[in-house]
Amino acid sequence: MDNILAIWTKEGLLRDNNDDGVIDGTAVFIDLPDHLAPEGLIDFCARLGYETTSLSLRFFEHGNSAVKMSFIYSDVKTEIRLENWELIVRYKSEAELSDLLKLIAAMDPEESAGTSDTIEFKDGKLAAGQVFIKTIEGRGEEAHPEINSLSDLWSFSGVGKNNEASPSKLLHLNVSIEETVKTAELLKGLCDFAARSAMYSTDIVFPVTGERSSGGLRLEVLEDSSASLELTEPNVLQLKGPKELVGSAAHHLAREKHWSEGGAFGYWEQGYSLKQKTEAPLLFEAEWEDVQETEMAYRILKDSEDLSGADIEIFLSEPGEVRRELKKKWKDLFPEVKSLKVRSAFKTGLHWLVEEVLPELGDSGEAVQGLEIKVKKESSENGLELPIRWIQEMYPADRLIEEEFGLKAELVNYQLEDKSEHTYVVFRVDERGMRHFVSSLDVPVSELPYVDGKHYVYPVSSAVRVRTGEGAVREQIIQTDRERFYRFYTEEVLPRLRREVADYREGQGHTRPLFDRIEIDVWMSEEERKLPVDEERISSLEALHEDLYFNTLDYFAHMGEELEGKSFNAPGGVHPFMHVREGEKPEAYIRVYSWEDKPLEDWVTTSIRFDEKGALAEAVMTNGKEEVTLSVEAFEKPEGHIHPDVQHWLSEQDSYRILYPDHSYRGHAIPIIECFMDAGEEFYSPLKMSLFKKTIFIEAGHHSNEVSSTPAVLQLLERADNKFGDWLKDVNLVILPLANPDGYELVTKLIEEHPEWKHHAARYNAVGLEYSLVRFQKTVFGEANIYPEILRRWAPDVIVDDHGIPAHEWVQPFAGYNSPPRFPVSYFLPSAKIYGIGRLSSGNYRDLHVGNLEAVVERISQYISGTGIEKENKYWQERFRKYGNQWLPAVFPIEEAPGIHFYRQADVAPSYSTIGISRYPDWIAAEVISEAADEVVYDEVLESCIEAHIVFNLAILEVLQKAGIEVKRNGLSYERVRPINLS
């Protein structure tokens, strides 16, 4: 240091420890004598903290590279002089010394351009020679109260806590000390407190000590018989204690870490909240059993008098092996029958085609150069089925034919017929391109009302159809086992539950559930078979699982519309457990657990007591009615994590910071990973780090049945290191590796019996809430707090939310044989290996956001080009066109970019107030969603989804890394031009 005017630069007392161009430390040893306690030193240290992004609070400790600051009494003048690389402070009185330090703390940054070795206190101002030095006057602006509970003091987002996130933070702090307790030891503790508080801020008001201006945070230090920190009113704190103890208390208070960082501060509130949770009580139980549909079909045959010479078709929702055994058995029991077919009552057309039509065609020896399948257009009255419903029920017949019969999938085509006598008519195409009739099929259907009370659905039904020699046809519909149970559930269980929750409170069904959960166990004889095509399978019980889950949600959504004019979108958890029990009668057992809707208690910490050594010992909380005293104990990081990939990563890594901002509703501590260039300091300010560097936040595992994002985001770090080298010199990255541990806990239970189902019942939280809708609100669902907390702490420029879609067919026979009607577009089959969704704001920044999104899309396309991801995307695009988009482009939309679909439509990516770019369009540059076809996949398929997520995110990282930023300084205030331009 050779210029005292550069005191607030890297040439002075500030340091860039890791050579990334950002101030991240200080280098000063303040050799304060025991007899001296100038309050202005608090201002001086506040300026030290304000100028850096990280600190270790070693101002009063010797350091090898530190600039020594010494104090010498002088009866001549008060000044600070640079002598032999040391700062020598001479003072005429402690009062003048204090004023000198206050003014130096408030020096205008522009003054560092000059040169001098001395700053003198003259006529109440600073002077370098004959030139007065400009200081920044305190503005006296009122700061919004940030500390309403003492637990807010050192919060996850720094000092104080606001509901809304912002890239800027003003510190308006005033510290006053009662003369009777003033000591050098106390002053040191308060210097640390002020420095740490200022470090978290991007704007600051000086002076920190002396005459108090209105507003802001006030810390009063007073003498008392016992040591404590009291919150007398919002933003007003009193540190009290005897002279010999209050200094130590200030020291401990300044250094105590928030519990999320492994400290103890504030954990008394979190721990108390966790201990108050109890298991939900049982509300009611219900049982159901019935005879098998096979028994019903047998009785019809037994009671028939017209079987002689008849052709019989029987449709049953049973596994293929059971159907084959029944065919053999019934042919023996009814020898007078001419022919007997036992067909599937689930995906009937597909089964008929591959079990009967293709084998018979093969046996005929006729040339087959292609197949054309005429399909009846669905037009049932007021039905939820799409016009292409019967094409959907054929999926994936073309690929299955290719795998099992050798005919290429592109040679199997469908024609949608407005008017047709039959559900399906199959023609073979010969080598000359001529068509020849092969066979036709009429599929029996049932009719039942949908849960919304407005529509009907027409699922395939079991049936017995008798065709006599005279050409007469007699058909007797039999409800499948699945349909009879579904009717029981929707006609008896759900209405009973509606009556049970009728006395709900305001907010239930929206931000809190009406009931805790429904657990449904169903035992049935149904087909469960993996197909040799992609990840496809035949599973009528998976379809029932999806119907029970989503249709229950729709039932209560309709209830909300009836009662309040808006849907109940958070009725409670719906957990269907399906059990295949081949050849046995169907049964079900249902348990409903109630939600105890207790008022959300607003506990406020009013006092913290210190022990005889000055350490934090007890915290006193009140809810306005009662008071509790709790021990101050450190948060113990969990020994394990519920997700094995996260657990392995946490146990192996030592390069990044792991924090735990909150616990899930079921009590799982939720970790986040903060990736930045470490400066080796103890405390750091993410908000200020995001001021000087671009920051990206990636969320994974929001819907826990979407299984690839969590391992992908963990592997991303190593891949980024390999690809970009020292990328953290330009970018900070925050990762939420498993946003929904309660959902993951449920999915692990569900996959024990059915490891390859989609398991949408686990997509939301423990009580079935899409918890993103209650972000930025006071809630008992801690998983909803993580996203807002990260935005408050880091103010990221870019947000990426890694999601997933089904890897195989999604059908719901009791909801129109499509993905749920609550979705405006269809997710009936995968549309890509991975696709993107761009969220866009409305208002003044929309054009910038559109441009930013296009830059992201272009780079992702470049990354995908020529890879296996592009090849798979093309494959799935063709499948999506064939089975959906060519018939109903609005329901099966495609927004193409090179190599990838990228959607911007509002119906695919709706905006709402808890989404970052919608809430903060003035500073967030882009928010993007990835969707990989990963809903419960394994092995090579899982690895391909992981790779797709990684490539997608690497492209965004590169866009952000190359973007320019502009940091401006207006006096003591820092700000960055936002939102940044990514294009």
Side-chain angles (χ1 to χ4, degrees), residues 38-94:
E39 291 184 10
L41 190 59
I42 298 173
D43 295 70
F44 186 88
C45 290
R47 179 66 182 270
L48 280 167
Y50 178 71
E51 293 294 346
T52 184
T53 58
S54 58
L55 270 177
S56 290
L57 301 178
R58 301 192 190 102
F59 306 136
F60 304 99
E61 301 174 14
H62 288 279
N64 293 331
S65 61
V67 177
K68 185 177 180 181
M69 183 175 179
S70 302
F71 299 86
I72 301 173
Y73 173 75
S74 170
D75 58 4
V76 179
K77 63 174 67 173
T78 299
E79 66 176 11
I80 182 168
R81 179 182 292 273
L82 192 61
E83 295 180 6
N84 298 322
W85 298 89
E86 291 188 12
L87 291 174
I88 307 298
V89 184
R90 292 181 173 85
Y91 62 95
K92 293 171 62 177
S93 68
E94 187 173 289

Side-chain angles (χ1 to χ4, degrees), residues 518-530:
I518 308 172
E519 292 181 352
I520 309 165
D521 281 279
V522 177
W523 294 266
M524 284 186 182
S525 178
E526 297 285 336
E527 186 157 21
E528 186 67 34
R529 179 164 58 98
K530 181 85 178 279

